[in-house]
Amino acid sequence: GVKGFQRVTPSQLKKMTGRKGKPAWSSWQGKVYNITPYLPFHPGGEAELMKAAGRDGAKLFMDVHPWVNWENMLGACLVGVLVPEEESPL
Ligand code: HEM
């Protein structure tokens, strides 16, 4: 069914490293994406994309390919929105 988007704090994002059984998440302009399904398809390779895991990927992304449309490509992988630490119930 349709699932609501999650509210994700910076500390939660930091744990989504793609390691130890966790998915790899990365944020872009305040939105959080699961980049795990895209890893095998990334033209720049998995290792490069994994540098953005557990953190904001905008700087790395824009340094390499500002012409690529993150939101179009990973729209289906949107997990939720970043919220300040204190707003999380967790
Ligand atoms: C290439 C998508 C993140 C490093 C590409 C290309 C696409 C793409 C479509 C081919 C671009 C072209 O040929 O014009 C994405 C998406 C990302 C992402 C959707 C969202 C998470 C990153 C990050 C890094 C990175 C975070 C670096 C830390 C590279 C490199 C290439 C590349 C080095 C060049 C590969 C080559 O031409 O040999 N990426 N990328 N990408 N990407 Fe990404």
Side-chain angles (χ1 to χ4, degrees):
V2 178
K3 187 164 158 287
F5 291 125
Q6 300 181 39
R7 297 156 61 78
V8 182
T9 63
S11 60
Q12 288 170 332
L13 173 62
K14 215 172 174 177
K15 291 176 188 158
M16 299 307 186
T17 57
R19 311 195 192 279
K20 297 180 180 172
K22 296 197 189 288
W25 289 2
S26 185
S27 65
W28 168 258
Q29 295 178 351
K31 283 177 262 179
V32 180
Y33 297 82
N34 180 6
I35 58 176
T36 298
Y38 183 63
L39 281 167
F41 303 102
H42 181 232
E46 299 203 9
E48 283 296 297
L49 182 51
M50 278 295 282
K51 290 178 184 171
R55 48 181 294 201
D56 191 286
K59 173 81 166 61
L60 290 167
F61 183 93
M62 292 302 281
D63 280 351
V64 183
H65 38 45
W67 58 88
V68 175
N69 192 319
W70 178 312
E71 292 188 289
N72 276 359
M73 294 196 64
L74 296 186
C77 301
L78 184 61
V79 169
V81 293
L82 267 183
V83 297
E85 216 63 64
E86 63 270 27
E87 285 185 26
S88 169
L90 299 177

